[in-house]
Amino acid sequence: MHDAPPARGVLTTVVYSQHSLGMGHFVRSSALAAALAARGRVVLVNGGPPPEGAAWPMGVERLDLPPLVMAADGQLATLDPGTTVEATLTARRTALARVLDEVRPDAIVLEMFPFGRKKFAPEILPILDRLRDAGPGRPRVVSSVRDLLVTSRRDQQGFDDQACLRANRYLDAVFVHADPAFATIDESFRPGVPLSIPVHHTGFVVPRRAPAGGADRAGVVVSAGGGVVGAPLFAAALAAQPALWSEHALAMTLVAGPLCPESVWQRLTQEAARRPGLTLVRAVADLGVLIAQAAVSVSQCGYNTALDVVSAGVPAVVVPFGRASEDEQLRRARRLEARGLVRVVEEQALDGPTLAAAVAAARLAPPPPAAFDLDGADTAARLLQALVSGGAVASSREVGACPSAG
């Protein structure tokens, strides 16, 4: 582990986070870990590629597992050509068991599992089985999930049913990081076997930042999260850039993302050479700060970027990422669009002129204020402390009630 001075407090927590296509899960887990660090020792276990350049939360210890990612075919892949996925999972499972033995946490926060991350079950379930047999003094186990879950899997009902059985068997609670005025878990999770554990809607989890200041907003910021699947958006942005510069005097900053494939980055660099009004950036420590300073944001519609846009009140055009088994970004985008907070351009309709027109229109129509609960990190930390302490915490929303699945 990478050591950091433990914060003062009484709660010891291990947070398990796995990012693959983007950095959103890591950013949300980091914000939650930072809030938990005010209450005690926190170890953040990172299962994705090391987040180079990303800000690490103060007072939080770090354990990078041998990284696994999601390949284009939806299967797990290792970044080390000298080993296999199976061997990597074995090494990760050993590392997880070791950190739990060494840290002896009061609580474990699992990012998404079992409501996602099904392919990581071989490393997670052995740990959960072991904890389940540990008796009354075992750590409390909570699943940390975002506002909207995927609902377009080939066997969605089977997935939801299995997730519910696993949640009832292994978890003590579910923390849904959403304002219930925007989304509740039962809108995207419909198991035939209802949940028997408490479900808490914490409010949205956003990183703590200093106010952006009074500087005038200027230019267009284009981003695609980690950048793994940003190539179509980047291509359209480059096609739109000359018109935005010559007709609207809007400079553009394109942030490729820390996980942007090198081939895409090289192509962007070549195509952008000697263009006035265009700046290419490989990665930034905090994308939200840059978005808050923009006249218009252009992005996909992942959880963190959407909240960066909404919390800053920036005019925004979103191009939701989507494929057959991924629908949460489009659903989030449409909900925000219905509130007048973003303009949506779907990926299949994306080209330079369409994007340039959407940016110009967004600039002329600032969004209304969004009154969402953004204190989800602190609320989740308080709820976890109460759960460990044995206090009664009423569920903010339950999805049915049934005996725990054995």
Side-chain angles (χ1 to χ4, degrees):
M1 285 181 291
H2 303 271
D3 292 331
R8 297 177 62 85
V10 296
L11 182 66
T12 300
T13 311
V14 170
V15 178
Y16 168 96
S17 177
Q18 173 68 48
H19 61 276
S20 52
L21 287 177
M23 297 294 295
H25 299 287
F26 172 78
V27 173
R28 186 168 61 250
S29 294
S30 295
L32 179 57
L36 288 166
R39 295 172 180 266
R41 183 184 183 189
V42 182
V43 178
L44 178 52
V45 179
N46 168 49
E52 301 300 334
W56 192 262
M58 291 287 293
V60 174
E61 298 170 57
R62 169 178 176 175
L63 173 63
D64 288 321
L65 298 176
L68 286 171
V69 297
M70 205 72 70
D73 61 359
Q75 300 303 308
L76 290 181
T78 176
L79 299 180
D80 182 355
T83 189
T84 64
V85 169
E86 291 72 20
T88 303
L89 283 170
T90 298
R92 287 161 59 105
R93 189 162 54 242
T94 300
L96 282 170
R98 183 183 302 116
V99 75
L100 294 181
D101 286 341
E102 293 176 355
V103 175
R104 301 180 64 83
D106 302 305
I108 299 170
V109 177
L110 297 175
E111 181 261 320
M112 289 300 289
F113 191 84
F115 304 94
R117 301 291 181 262
K118 182 178 180 180
K119 290 183 173 62
F120 294 88
E123 71 182 18
I124 298 174
L125 288 179
I127 299 294
L128 294 179
D129 280 325
R130 174 183 163 191
L131 292 173
R132 189 170 181 266
D133 295 335
R138 66 172 179 81
R140 300 304 171 192
V141 183
V142 170
S143 180
S144 163
V145 303
R146 62 179 177 240
D147 54 347
L148 299 170
L149 301 174
V150 171
T151 61
S152 57
R153 294 180 178 87
R154 185 175 302 173
D155 181 20
Q156 188 65 50
Q157 190 61 60
F159 180 94
D160 284 357
D161 290 347
Q162 183 184 62
C164 185
L165 290 171
R166 286 175 169 172
N168 287 341
R169 181 180 180 87
Y170 295 116
L171 301 184
D172 295 287
V174 181
F175 291 174
V176 183
H177 299 311
D179 185 326
F182 181 79
T184 55
I185 192 172
D186 52 356
E187 297 175 60
S188 52
F189 182 64
R190 302 184 181 92
V193 180
L195 279 172
S196 63
I197 56 176
V199 176
H200 303 282
H201 290 79
T202 67
F204 289 110
V205 170
V206 297
R208 289 187 177 277
R209 297 187 179 100
D216 291 337
R217 290 173 173 169
V220 180
V221 172
V222 179
S223 63
V228 175
V229 291
L233 176 57
F234 297 152
L238 288 182
Q241 187 268 333
L244 292 173
W245 176 246
S246 63
E247 298 174 19
H248 302 283
L250 283 172
M252 177 181 290
T253 299
L254 191 154
V255 183
L259 305 181
C260 178
E262 184 62 25
S263 59
V264 175
W265 173 248
Q266 292 299 330
R267 189 162 60 249
L268 290 173
T269 302
Q270 293 168 6
E271 293 181 5
R274 295 181 299 278
R275 280 201 195 185
L278 175 63
T279 302
L280 293 183
V281 181
R282 193 70 164 84
V284 294
D286 191 337
L287 181 61
V289 172
L290 194 61
I291 287 175
Q293 298 168 352
V296 182
S297 169
V298 175
S299 69
Q300 295 173 329
C301 202
Y303 180 98
N304 295 287
T305 306
L307 289 173
D308 286 340
V309 165
V310 168
S311 60
V314 174
V317 177
V318 296
V319 183
F321 167 72
R323 61 186 182 190
S325 61
E326 298 281 348
D327 66 343
E328 52 99 3
Q329 286 205 14
L330 179 59
R331 289 161 49 223
R332 182 179 298 111
R334 290 302 184 196
R335 290 182 183 218
L336 293 173
E337 183 181 49
R339 291 165 169 79
L341 299 172
V342 301
R343 291 177 179 267
V344 178
V345 176
E346 294 196 30
E347 200 169 67
Q348 58 267 32
L350 182 64
D351 59 23
T354 300
L355 185 58
V359 168
R363 186 190 187 194
L364 297 176
F372 292 141
D373 179 358
L374 303 178
D375 292 328
D378 288 338
T379 298
R382 175 178 56 79
L383 288 169
L384 192 62
Q385 179 79 71
L387 182 65
V388 168
S389 300
V393 182
S395 176
S396 66
R397 179 88 169 194
E398 296 220 23
V399 186
C402 72
S404 179

